[in-house]
Every structure is written in C-alpha cells, then in structure tokens.
Amino acid sequence: MRRRPVAGVLPDQMEKPTTKTPNSRVCLLASLSAFFWLFLIYFHFAVLGNQTNKSSPIQSEKVSERQPSFPFARALATGDNKSDPCGGRYIYVHELPSRFNDDMLKECRSLSLWTNMCKFTTNGGLGPPLENVNGVFSHTGWYATNQFAVDVIFRNRMKQYQCLTPDPSLAAAFFVPFYAGFDISRYLWGYNISTRDAASLDLLHWLTNSPQWTIMNGRDHFLVAGRITWDFRRLSQLDSDWGNQLFFLPAAKNMSMLVVESSPWNSNDFGIPYPTYFHPANDDDVFIWQQRMMSLERKWLFSFAGAPRPDNPKSIRGHIIDQCRRSNVGKLLECDFGESKCHSPSSIMHMFQASLFCLQPQGDSYTRRSAFDSMLAGCIPVFFHPGSAYTQYTWHLPRNFSKYSVFIPEDDIRKRNVSIEERLSQIPEEQVRVMREEVISLIPRLVYADPRSKLETLKDAFDVSVQAVIDKVTNLRKDIMDGRTHENFIEENSWKYALLDDGQRQVGPHQWDPFFSKPKDGSGDSSDLSAKNSWKNEQRNQS
C-alpha cells in the first residue's frame, strides 16, 4: 500500500529534507561579510598602523592626527635610531657631470688671471708642503694653501665623511660638489655676463631636474664656494658690473651657500673659515701645536700685517699703520704689490706667534684670511667692525665675542683717534691669559684637516660646517611637519637672526645696527668696500 503524505507538506519537500531555507542563506552571507570587514579593519589599524608608526616615530601628535605624507620622514626617523652612529647625519652627494668640478682642475691655469692655481690644487687642494726653515711650523701638516681653495678642500674632505649614503631617502642634507669659486674666478675680468652666468644656470637646470631636488625644492641642498659672497651677487645685467648672479637665482635662494664671507642681509649664505696653512693629519698634530702656542713668549703687545687703502677715505688702515709705527710695543709688517714678507707664510706666522694681540681691520671686504692665521698662532684678534667675524662665523666662533677677541669700533680710530696701545695695555694680564687660552682652544674648529687622513676625537672646520647644515635642515623639516611658519622673518635682518640664542625667533634693535645700515641702492653698508676691488685681495694674498 502506498503511504499517504503528511498533511500540509508538499511532495517535493518530502524528497529534499536537508535543503536550507532562504533565511538561512541570508544569515550565512551576512556573517561572512561582517567577518570580512572586521578582518580588514583589524589589518588596517593593527598591522599597517604599526608599520606607519615605526617609519615615522618622531611625528608629533598633531601631525599624526592629520596623517600627512612627508618625503623626508624616513630621513628624520633615522635620528631616533640610537644604534645607528650615522642616524640623522647621512649626506647624499650629487654625482655632477665633470664640467662642474674636475674639468676645471684640468684647466687649472685658467682659474685665476693673477695666480697659477695648478700648484695650489695639489695634495687634495692643500697646495705644496711648506718647508720649516725657521722652525715656525710643525714638522708636518703645513702647506702653502691658497685662500680661495676651499671648494676643492671641502669636496675632498666630503669624500671621506663617514656617513655618506647612496639612498636619498636617508639623507639629512644633499651636497652639491660644484666648484662655484673656481668657476667665477675664470671669468671675473674681461667676460660678459652671459659667460659669467652660464655654469650657474647650467647647474641649477641640472639640479632642479633631479628627483632629489623635489624632496624639499632644494632647501636641503648645500654647496661650498671658496670666495666672498659679493662675487656671486651681481646687482644688474650690465657687463661692467661685478661677478655672476648665482646667489640671486630663484632656485639658488633655496640652497645653503657656504662662503668665506657671507652677506649680512641675505639668508641663503653662511660664513665658513678661510683655509690656513695648517692641515693636521691626526689629533696629536693639533694637541702638540696647541701646547706649543700656549708656551710661547710674546714680546709684542700688538701687531698688524697689511697695506694701506689710500683710495678709500673710510678705511682706518692708514691710522692703524701710523699707530704701529709710533709704538714701541707694536709690530708692523707692511705689504705692497711687489715682493714683501707678507707673501711669506713663515714671516707672517712668526710675527703672530710673537704677539699678544693681532689687529684685523677690514680689507677690501669685511673679512680677512689673516684673522684665522693669527688665531692659529694663538694671537688674540682685535676687530674694528662686527662684520669681520662676529656676524660671519657664528657656526665656528663663540657668540660671546669678548671671550676670544677685542672690539674697538672703527669710529674710535677714525674720528676719536683712540690709542690702540693704550686700550690694549689696560686689559689685565690674567684676562689676556684666559682669552689666549680660549683662542687656542678654538684652533681645531678653525682649520681644515688633511683630506687624505682623519681626525679621531676632534671636529675641524669641515665637521662643524656639515653638522650646522644638518641641524639647519633638520629644524626646517620639523617646522614643516609641525606646521610652523616664519611669516615675520625679515631677510634684511639676517645677521641679527644668526646671533639669536636657541629657541629665540624675534629680533629687535641691536647695538650694531649703525654698522649695517643698508643704502637705498642695496649695494652694501656705508662702511662696506666695493667687491670689485676683491682682485686686490688675490694680489696681496689677503694681506
């Protein structure tokens, strides 16, 4: 007999008793979808979020909330890696075409109209060794270094910098090995502005088309030009005007330009020491020299090596020379265009070593190589204009200038006929001793070590300069990440900002304002001498 179906149940349902209802299918799909989205949310916050924090641990809470993307974040993060001795200190060096550096050295005879620079580019830019005929120098480390050779010295020192990187994402700063000083020195006399500007325009075209430039539009880039800033700040498009326009070009304004003399009114250049004759190969070379300078007997109260400036009525050199001649405790080494002892490194250093104070008035510009030669000899410098050192070398010299130098305003000499001998003789003997010790302690950071060797515990002028650039770029990057701007920055007060203590941002009236009153034509201050006369510097060997 056939069984009758159960009431209310269809036959096809009887044949498929395990089939799920439509509601069951919907519940299953909803569960799977919820699980999938929960997994994605977990992966995003727990995994990707953790990796983001590791790559940029130094971002502030404010920045983290915005979740910005900074191309230099990885470079900044290396500074927090305490196990990495180069963390936050990596330098990327651009591989420039040889026309921007090496080719100039191959044509070294054309680098200067007045001097055969071929011998001065030897030994890594140090020049030929100096013979220690009169026992003035140490037995090693002394070279006839040209005052404008910093371009090549700095690049060769960079080659042995311990924290170079081929990875631009790690770089704290980017070095541009362009011999800017050598480039312009070829064309300062007798060439039109197109020739003088050509290499600079070519370089900036090359740089701005490199991927490294786009990280900060060049604000993390720096180069070294071993001449005074005025050689790169031509004010017009007239062939009769001086120099090229490298430092005025829009892209170059973003870069940091390291020069032996900077502009008080511009923010893209920074003063670094002129090269001296001493280039130690190791720490002991420095320690032995410092000890020797401390023990010397100094028979002269003050000395001056230089020539008058009869064509410049505002120069105080004539007054200084007259006072030296009249003094029984002052020593004068007169310089001229012909052969003189001013062209002899041993004669200059011998006089400085025998003097307590060395007079350093302005030359054809604010600064002089002589200031660094004298401090190398343990002689306390006497400056007459704040632009000769105090507003120039803020990376290398104490901001408290009275610790290592004496300041006598030019007008005291020019208008009031103040006696230099009387002013210096009033300084107590103990204070002189302390000041001399301070000068001698500064020697390591004022000289450029031999680029073929390496100092172990000491930081030389190169090390100080590179670290200062890194600090500048690092602070700028942190400001960008934190959203800080400097809307109230006044570029014409650049010299004042350089004197501020850490953390300070505002400038006001300053005691040195009269020294830097800028004329309406923007050519310099009332006491500044024409940059067109800088060839005299070259002729007189920075006398």
Side-chain angles (χ1 to χ4, degrees):
M1 293 179 62
R2 295 178 62 183
R3 298 180 61 183
R4 296 176 63 183
V6 179
V9 180
L10 297 176
D12 60 340
Q13 290 176 318
M14 289 290 293
E15 294 173 357
K16 300 177 181 180
T18 59
T19 303
K20 296 181 179 178
T21 66
N23 288 338
S24 298
R25 293 193 188 96
V26 171
C27 291
L28 178 61
L29 289 173
S31 299
L32 289 174
S33 177
F35 178 80
F36 175 76
W37 285 108
L38 286 171
F39 176 78
L40 283 181
I41 293 172
Y42 170 81
F43 182 83
H44 176 78
F45 287 101
V47 179
L48 294 182
N50 186 52
Q51 290 180 352
T52 302
N53 289 337
K54 288 182 179 179
S55 65
S56 303
I58 62 172
Q59 293 186 14
S60 65
E61 293 180 3
K62 180 179 178 182
V63 175
S64 297
E65 291 173 1
R66 296 194 303 266
Q67 290 295 322
S69 176
F70 297 105
F72 49 75
R74 187 179 178 217
L76 269 181
T78 65
D80 286 351
N81 186 354
K82 305 305 180 184
S83 63
D84 183 0
C86 289
R89 298 173 53 231
Y90 287 105
I91 296 291
Y92 180 95
V93 179
H94 278 283
E95 289 291 335
L96 298 182
S98 60
R99 65 181 180 275
F100 294 120
N101 41 53
D102 291 335
D103 288 352
M104 296 186 202
L105 300 187
K106 293 176 183 177
E107 302 295 331
C108 53
R109 288 187 178 275
S110 67
L111 294 179
S112 172
L113 179 64
W114 313 104
T115 306
N116 180 2
M117 291 294 292
C118 292
K119 69 175 183 178
F120 293 114
T121 58
T122 61
N123 293 312
L126 307 184
L130 287 172
E131 295 185 15
N132 192 19
V133 177
N134 299 316
V136 175
F137 312 126
S138 310
H139 294 299
T140 59
W142 291 81
Y143 297 83
T145 304
N146 187 273
Q147 62 190 15
F148 298 130
V150 172
D151 301 58
V152 65
I153 294 174
F154 206 97
R155 184 192 179 197
N156 286 325
R157 284 283 284 111
M158 184 63 77
K159 290 177 181 178
Q160 54 110 332
Y161 180 67
Q162 67 272 30
C163 295
L164 297 178
T165 179
D167 185 352
S169 71
L170 294 178
F174 294 78
F175 177 57
V176 181
F178 172 49
Y179 292 160
F182 286 166
D183 168 55
I184 189 56
S185 67
R186 298 179 294 181
Y187 306 123
L188 283 174
W189 299 271
Y191 292 88
N192 59 33
I193 60 172
S194 296
T195 301
R196 283 180 261 157
D197 290 343
S200 297
L201 293 169
D202 186 12
L203 171 78
L204 293 176
H205 176 76
W206 189 95
L207 282 175
T208 53
N209 283 281
S210 68
Q212 294 81 11
W213 183 268
T214 61
I215 295 175
M216 290 183 70
N217 288 323
R219 288 182 291 175
D220 48 8
H221 282 52
F222 72 104
L223 62 77
V224 174
R227 296 185 69 91
I228 61 176
T229 189
W230 317 111
D231 292 338
F232 310 98
R233 295 190 179 279
R234 192 181 68 245
L235 296 172
S236 75
Q237 296 301 316
L238 300 175
D239 285 342
S240 59
D241 210 346
W242 180 258
N244 66 24
Q245 286 195 319
L246 173 59
F247 288 9
F248 282 139
L249 297 175
K253 287 184 177 181
N254 285 352
M255 299 174 63
S256 296
M257 307 299 199
L258 278 53
V259 286
V260 292
E261 176 178 320
S262 63
S263 165
W265 312 288
N266 297 100
S267 59
N268 63 329
D269 60 358
F270 303 87
I272 61 175
Y274 283 89
T276 66
Y277 302 112
F278 185 43
H279 304 281
N282 53 61
D283 290 13
D284 283 344
D285 285 352
V286 179
F287 297 145
I288 292 172
W289 179 256
Q290 288 177 303
Q291 186 176 16
R292 180 179 171 185
M293 292 304 98
M294 279 300 302
S295 63
L296 288 177
E297 292 292 331
R298 300 176 184 267
K299 63 180 181 179
W300 302 109
L301 177 64
F302 64 95
S303 63
F304 172 64
R309 296 293 188 267
D311 54 342
N312 180 14
K314 295 180 180 179
S315 174
I316 64 170
R317 285 191 168 209
H319 299 280
I320 288 176
I321 290 173
D322 289 341
Q323 290 202 32
C324 287
R325 287 173 175 163
R326 295 196 304 265
S327 174
N328 293 325
V329 292
K331 176 67 174 176
L332 174 65
L333 196 62
E334 294 191 72
C335 308
D336 52 39
F337 286 104
E339 291 296 323
S340 78
K341 291 185 178 181
C342 284
H343 299 154
S344 167
S346 60
S347 298
I348 294 173
M349 292 301 295
H350 179 69
M351 183 182 74
F352 289 160
Q353 290 175 23
S355 306
L356 288 174
F357 297 95
C358 292
L359 310 183
Q360 302 296 346
Q362 294 187 79
D364 296 303
S365 62
Y366 288 131
T367 63
R368 307 177 72 209
R369 169 185 174 156
S370 175
F372 295 97
D373 288 335
S374 65
M375 286 188 279
L376 175 60
C379 187
I380 301 167
V382 179
F383 296 110
F384 303 86
H385 192 292
S388 295
Y390 307 146
T391 62
Q392 289 288 338
Y393 310 108
T394 55
W395 292 349
H396 297 79
L397 295 174
R399 291 182 182 177
N400 181 1
F401 60 87
S402 63
K403 292 177 62 177
Y404 71 94
S405 70
V406 175
F407 181 59
I408 303 176
E410 286 183 334
D411 277 352
D412 282 1
I413 305 299
R414 184 187 300 114
K415 297 179 180 179
R416 289 178 277 277
N417 199 29
V418 166
S419 168
I420 296 173
E421 177 181 334
E422 182 178 347
R423 178 71 64 87
L424 297 179
S425 62
Q426 292 173 350
I427 301 176
E429 184 176 339
E430 176 61 18
Q431 184 178 344
V432 172
R433 183 190 65 79
V434 172
M435 293 172 69
R436 184 169 64 251
E437 288 181 353
E438 179 69 21
V439 169
I440 294 173
S441 72
L442 293 172
I443 288 176
R445 58 195 297 116
L446 302 181
V447 300
Y448 297 90
D450 191 322
R452 298 161 297 184
S453 56
K454 183 181 177 182
L455 301 182
E456 295 297 328
T457 65
L458 299 174
K459 303 297 182 183
D460 73 338
F462 167 88
D463 294 319
V464 173
S465 301
V466 170
Q467 188 58 53
V469 170
I470 290 174
D471 291 344
K472 174 180 178 289
V473 174
T474 299
N475 290 334
L476 177 58
R477 287 173 169 177
K478 290 180 178 178
D479 285 347
I480 292 172
M481 294 182 76
D482 292 341
R484 286 192 295 266
T485 60
H486 301 279
E487 297 176 353
N488 297 323
F489 178 80
I490 303 173
E491 188 171 20
E492 287 193 3
N493 287 334
S494 292
W495 66 271
K496 294 185 182 182
Y497 290 101
L499 300 176
L500 292 177
D501 294 329
D502 293 337
Q504 289 185 322
R505 296 180 181 274
Q506 300 297 323
V507 298
H510 198 283
Q511 61 176 323
W512 291 336
D513 283 337
F515 289 95
F516 298 107
S517 56
K518 196 173 182 182
K520 294 180 180 180
D521 64 2
S523 60
D525 76 341
S526 58
S527 64
D528 186 24
L529 307 178
S530 173
K532 295 180 181 180
N533 289 328
S534 67
W535 66 273
K536 295 178 182 177
N537 270 351
E538 204 160 5
Q539 280 289 80
R540 293 167 174 150
N541 194 29
Q542 195 68 10
S543 63

